[in-house]
Amino acid sequence: MERAARLSWMRALMLVLILFAVGYAVFQALAGNREEVEVGKKAPDFTLTNLQGQTVQLSDYDGTGVLLNFWASWCDPCVNEMPLLNEAYGRMPGVEILAVNMGETKEKASQFADRHRLKLPILLDSNGDVKKRYKIGGLPTTYLIDDKGRIMQKFSGELTRSEFIHFMERIQPKSGRK
């Protein structure tokens, strides 16, 4: 009899633990970030600080195509892309390039920008909030955002000069095209 009571009690405890785990998972899913980061959806807005200490929001660029590049100085493919991004910066009307540094200090990102003579805006995601929102796994990762703020494409990996130009042409607003 004692064994049957203990077995019954263990089953009840297991059921409670399972229900708790399922409830917790459902709560996390509902309470988590509902913004989906996928092609065709509105790009989640964010606010970051640039190397000059100014606050920059993605929504500041509404009406402009945005090539949003996530990078870090320790990432060799990212380092290879930076001169290409810098060269493309400001060359196409209606298209902005934003380079979001992932998890490095302002000093480290500034040293990198100075060493490579970067002119493009470098934004700092030191604590990784934007990385989480955009579900960045590997670096570099580039998002193409049209002038209406919708994600047109996500690309993971190193891009070539011609790919950057092609991507920028895709997000250039019709009014900015010659």
Side-chain angles (χ1 to χ4, degrees):
M1 185 64 114
E2 187 177 308
R3 183 172 180 208
R6 190 175 332 150
L7 202 55
S8 178
W9 191 87
M10 291 294 282
R11 286 184 186 146
L13 180 61
M14 291 298 288
L15 180 63
V16 168
L17 288 173
I18 290 169
L19 288 174
F20 176 77
V22 169
Y24 181 76
V26 169
F27 173 77
Q28 288 297 323
L30 293 175
N33 186 358
R34 293 182 187 189
E35 262 178 321
E36 292 186 39
V37 181
E38 57 186 59
V39 172
K41 302 257 181 176
K42 181 104 170 130
D45 198 16
F46 59 79
T47 302
L48 292 173
T49 303
N50 65 19
L51 292 180
Q52 294 72 35
Q54 300 161 322
T55 301
V56 176
Q57 283 188 268
L58 180 61
S59 58
D60 293 342
Y61 299 95
D62 284 349
T64 302
V66 176
L67 191 145
L68 184 62
N69 180 266
F70 293 89
W71 69 282
S73 66
W74 49 261
C75 162
D76 289 338
C78 301
V79 173
N80 295 339
E81 282 185 345
M82 276 300 144
L84 304 176
L85 283 170
N86 198 49
E87 180 184 314
Y89 176 67
R91 299 231 172 160
M92 195 169 292
V95 176
E96 183 64 57
I97 297 174
L98 299 176
V100 180
N101 180 271
M102 306 274 47
E104 295 182 301
T105 64
K106 180 180 178 180
E107 292 73 27
K108 183 118 178 148
S110 291
Q111 289 171 357
F112 181 88
D114 291 344
R115 185 170 55 250
H116 294 277
R117 296 185 178 127
L118 300 179
K119 301 172 288 186
L120 68 152
I122 306 285
L123 308 180
L124 302 169
D125 186 24
S126 301
N127 58 8
D129 288 341
V130 177
K131 176 184 177 180
K132 289 176 197 159
R133 275 182 104 178
Y134 276 78
K135 298 175 176 77
I136 304 298
L139 295 177
T141 297
T142 303
Y143 280 90
L144 301 180
I145 302 170
D146 71 11
D147 59 333
K148 295 180 180 45
R150 290 183 310 248
I151 297 171
M152 292 184 68
Q153 187 172 350
K154 174 185 177 183
F155 187 86
S156 296
E158 185 177 345
L159 294 168
T160 65
R161 175 179 278 108
S162 61
E163 287 171 321
F164 278 124
I165 292 167
H166 173 71
F167 284 167
M168 291 173 69
E169 287 170 346
R170 285 189 59 208
I171 59 175
Q172 185 180 32
K174 289 183 184 4
S175 62
R177 294 182 181 162
K178 293 181 179 178

